[in-house]
mmCIF file of all heavy atoms in Angstrom:
data_model
loop_
_atom_site.group_PDB
_atom_site.id
_atom_site.type_symbol
_atom_site.label_atom_id
_atom_site.label_comp_id
_atom_site.label_asym_id
_atom_site.label_seq_id
_atom_site.Cartn_x
_atom_site.Cartn_y
_atom_site.Cartn_z
ATOM 1 N N TYR A 672 50.875 155.660 271.200
ATOM 2 C CA TYR A 672 51.571 156.109 272.422
ATOM 3 C C TYR A 672 52.861 155.359 272.670
ATOM 4 O O TYR A 672 53.829 155.907 273.186
ATOM 5 C CB TYR A 672 50.622 155.988 273.630
ATOM 6 C CG TYR A 672 49.777 157.190 273.806
ATOM 7 C CD1 TYR A 672 48.414 157.172 273.550
ATOM 8 C CD2 TYR A 672 50.299 158.401 274.208
ATOM 9 C CE1 TYR A 672 47.596 158.301 273.688
ATOM 10 C CE2 TYR A 672 49.522 159.527 274.358
ATOM 11 C CZ TYR A 672 48.172 159.482 274.103
ATOM 12 O OH TYR A 672 47.408 160.605 274.246
ATOM 13 N N GLU A 673 52.879 154.060 272.330
ATOM 14 C CA GLU A 673 54.120 153.306 272.482
ATOM 15 C C GLU A 673 55.245 153.820 271.569
ATOM 16 O O GLU A 673 56.411 153.769 271.870
ATOM 17 C CB GLU A 673 53.856 151.825 272.272
ATOM 18 C CG GLU A 673 53.024 151.243 273.463
ATOM 19 C CD GLU A 673 52.773 149.750 273.307
ATOM 20 O OE1 GLU A 673 53.195 149.141 272.273
ATOM 21 O OE2 GLU A 673 52.149 149.193 274.208
ATOM 22 N N VAL A 674 54.837 154.291 270.365
ATOM 23 C CA VAL A 674 55.760 154.908 269.453
ATOM 24 C C VAL A 674 56.355 156.200 270.106
ATOM 25 O O VAL A 674 57.533 156.466 270.056
ATOM 26 C CB VAL A 674 55.151 155.209 268.080
ATOM 27 C CG1 VAL A 674 56.092 156.125 267.243
ATOM 28 C CG2 VAL A 674 54.854 153.967 267.308
ATOM 29 N N LEU A 675 55.427 156.985 270.717
ATOM 30 C CA LEU A 675 55.874 158.191 271.403
ATOM 31 C C LEU A 675 56.870 157.894 272.504
ATOM 32 O O LEU A 675 57.862 158.603 272.660
ATOM 33 C CB LEU A 675 54.671 158.943 271.946
ATOM 34 C CG LEU A 675 53.738 159.600 270.920
ATOM 35 C CD1 LEU A 675 52.535 160.265 271.592
ATOM 36 C CD2 LEU A 675 54.509 160.719 270.136
ATOM 37 N N ASP A 676 56.585 156.852 273.252
ATOM 38 C CA ASP A 676 57.481 156.445 274.336
ATOM 39 C C ASP A 676 58.863 156.068 273.753
ATOM 40 O O ASP A 676 59.899 156.433 274.343
ATOM 41 C CB ASP A 676 56.929 155.270 275.107
ATOM 42 C CG ASP A 676 55.793 155.674 276.033
ATOM 43 O OD1 ASP A 676 55.708 156.888 276.345
ATOM 44 O OD2 ASP A 676 55.016 154.818 276.444
ATOM 45 N N ALA A 677 58.860 155.346 272.680
ATOM 46 C CA ALA A 677 60.121 154.927 272.032
ATOM 47 C C ALA A 677 60.881 156.127 271.499
ATOM 48 O O ALA A 677 62.118 156.131 271.545
ATOM 49 C CB ALA A 677 59.848 153.899 270.900
ATOM 50 N N LEU A 678 60.141 157.095 270.949
ATOM 51 C CA LEU A 678 60.803 158.289 270.466
ATOM 52 C C LEU A 678 61.518 159.037 271.560
ATOM 53 O O LEU A 678 62.555 159.711 271.304
ATOM 54 C CB LEU A 678 59.791 159.212 269.796
ATOM 55 C CG LEU A 678 59.286 158.747 268.426
ATOM 56 C CD1 LEU A 678 58.108 159.609 267.973
ATOM 57 C CD2 LEU A 678 60.362 158.838 267.374
ATOM 58 N N ASP A 679 61.018 158.980 272.803
ATOM 59 C CA ASP A 679 61.632 159.657 273.928
ATOM 60 C C ASP A 679 62.869 158.937 274.405
ATOM 61 O O ASP A 679 63.704 159.507 275.137
ATOM 62 C CB ASP A 679 60.679 159.775 275.095
ATOM 63 C CG ASP A 679 59.549 160.814 274.791
ATOM 64 O OD1 ASP A 679 59.793 161.666 273.900
ATOM 65 O OD2 ASP A 679 58.540 160.770 275.438
ATOM 66 N N GLY A 680 63.027 157.684 273.993
ATOM 67 C CA GLY A 680 64.228 156.903 274.429
ATOM 68 C C GLY A 680 65.315 156.958 273.319
ATOM 69 O O GLY A 680 65.212 157.726 272.376
ATOM 70 N N GLU A 681 66.288 156.134 273.515
ATOM 71 C CA GLU A 681 67.412 156.126 272.559
ATOM 72 C C GLU A 681 67.668 154.715 272.010
ATOM 73 O O GLU A 681 68.740 154.424 271.509
ATOM 74 C CB GLU A 681 68.703 156.660 273.239
ATOM 75 C CG GLU A 681 68.574 158.111 273.662
ATOM 76 C CD GLU A 681 69.824 158.661 274.328
ATOM 77 O OE1 GLU A 681 70.795 157.819 274.434
ATOM 78 O OE2 GLU A 681 69.891 159.824 274.682
ATOM 79 N N ASP A 682 66.643 153.871 272.089
ATOM 80 C CA ASP A 682 66.743 152.504 271.647
ATOM 81 C C ASP A 682 66.174 152.350 270.236
ATOM 82 O O ASP A 682 64.954 152.356 270.054
ATOM 83 C CB ASP A 682 66.037 151.536 272.594
ATOM 84 C CG ASP A 682 66.285 150.102 272.271
ATOM 85 O OD1 ASP A 682 66.512 149.771 271.136
ATOM 86 O OD2 ASP A 682 66.243 149.251 273.243
ATOM 87 N N ALA A 683 67.020 152.352 269.220
ATOM 88 C CA ALA A 683 66.561 152.347 267.845
ATOM 89 C C ALA A 683 65.769 151.020 267.537
ATOM 90 O O ALA A 683 64.823 151.048 266.788
ATOM 91 C CB ALA A 683 67.744 152.416 266.869
#
Side-chain angles (χ1 to χ4, degrees):
Y672 272 109
E673 289 182 359
V674 169
L675 288 176
D676 286 341
L678 285 170
D679 288 340
E681 297 182 357
D682 189 331

